[in-house]
Amino acid sequence: MSASAQAFEERPHQPVLVISDRLDDDPIGLLPCPVPVKHLPSPLFTSEEYQSAPLVLLDDRSYTSFTLRHMPHRPGLIVAAADPDDGTAYPRAAAIGAEAVLRAGQDLAWLHLRLHAATDCRYAHWEALLTGPPPPEDS
């Protein structure tokens, strides 16, 4: 086994961290994505959870309480903006080092691909993705 393959096997499987102070189960519309998530309010996640998560999704309604935590910039931070007309979402996201801003009502296909990429495609249903019509028969 190569060193990189061994490192992949030894790395613990961390869930995607969703930071949201909302009480509902799906604050930014992730369902039905099969990637495991850990949903925590901004005051309750640990620094280790924040740093070790393969991807962090921040509900912009939790922005203020998140910034009070003084978390360092990290790759893989995405802000989910609830108000599609909020012009302050982009500068606020840039201030905390977010790599992207998703707006309410936006197609989440990009996010689902990003979730799978961040978790090394461990949770992709390849059978569903690879099935399609049978190839044409030779005549």
Side-chain angles (χ1 to χ4, degrees), residues 13-18 30 33-38 54 115 119 122-123:
H13 297 229
Q14 298 291 330
V16 168
L17 179 59
V18 176
L30 286 176
C33 189
V35 173
V37 298
K38 185 172 193 174
L115 289 164
T119 57
R122 288 185 189 104
Y123 306 100

Side-chain angles (χ1 to χ4, degrees), residues 22-85:
R22 291 189 57 189
L23 298 177
D24 61 355
D25 291 333
D26 192 18
I28 56 177
L30 286 176
L31 297 177
C33 189
V35 173
V37 298
K38 185 172 193 174
H39 179 191
L40 291 171
S42 50
L44 298 182
F45 69 89
T46 66
S47 179
E48 185 195 315
E49 288 169 323
Y50 176 74
Q51 292 293 350
S52 66
L55 195 68
V56 177
L57 303 174
L58 173 64
D59 183 341
D60 74 326
R61 293 163 290 196
S62 303
Y63 178 85
T64 301
S65 55
F66 174 81
T67 58
L68 293 173
R69 300 282 309 271
H70 302 287
M71 300 309 293
H73 289 197
R74 59 152 287 164
L77 174 62
I78 298 172
V79 173
D83 180 0
D85 298 323

Side-chain angles (χ1 to χ4, degrees), residues 126-135:
W126 294 110
E127 299 79 23
L129 295 171
L130 298 176
T131 58

Side-chain angles (χ1 to χ4, degrees), residues 81-128:
D83 180 0
D85 298 323
D86 181 4
T88 67
Y90 291 100
R92 288 185 294 126
I96 59 172
E99 72 179 43
V101 175
L102 294 174
R103 298 217 169 252
Q106 183 177 347
D107 179 18
L108 293 180
W110 175 86
L111 177 58
H112 285 251
L113 289 173
R114 186 67 179 87
L115 289 164
H116 285 296
T119 57
D120 298 318
C121 297
R122 288 185 189 104
Y123 306 100
H125 297 296
W126 294 110
E127 299 79 23

